[in-house]
Amino acid sequence: MDKFLIRGGKPLHGTVVISGAKNSALPAMAAALLTQDRVTLHNIPRVRDIITMSKLIAHMGAHVTTADFPATDYVMEATTLNDAVAPYEFVKTMRASILTLGPLVARLGGSPYHCTSKVGRGDQHGSWIY
């Protein structure tokens, strides 16, 4: 078993910067669709799924702004949602796109969200959720 052995008996000083986690950031981004208020997220990791999720949320009508690209801070405002359809080009590369389904059902009362998953029971796939 690996371990750290620290000698010296002196107090430690300093700071450690903790990077953001994609698997925490993606649900938070999808949750921004639940409200019409401005949502600001900080310390977001710079990975492809985050960029794809921001494009998907913007496609649905939310305003997504960043100071730089790729960004670590995102500001999202979903005052109106004009397109609840998740285009295949977004969802085919990111399983986390399903996280937008709950907020869409809550805000719009349903979602024409087509399941493209290849996993699970066959009778669940190829159907539309309303």
Side-chain angles (χ1 to χ4, degrees), residues 59-102:
H59 176 80
M60 294 176 178
H63 296 283
V64 180
T65 55
T66 61
D68 53 353
F69 184 83
T72 58
D73 297 326
Y74 283 82
V75 178
M76 292 160 284
E77 194 168 356
T79 52
T80 59
L81 297 176
N82 58 18
D83 194 353
V85 175
Y88 182 69
E89 67 247 20
F90 294 145
V91 300
K92 73 178 180 182
T93 63
M94 182 184 61
R95 290 177 295 156
S97 62
I98 194 70
L99 296 171
T100 62
L101 181 58

Side-chain angles (χ1 to χ4, degrees), residues 7-36:
R7 297 180 192 183
K10 299 178 183 177
L12 299 176
H13 297 280
T15 60
V16 176
V17 177
I18 305 298
S19 62
K22 174 189 83 166
N23 291 334
S24 297
L26 290 169
M29 292 177 79
L33 295 172
L34 285 168
T35 181
Q36 295 180 355

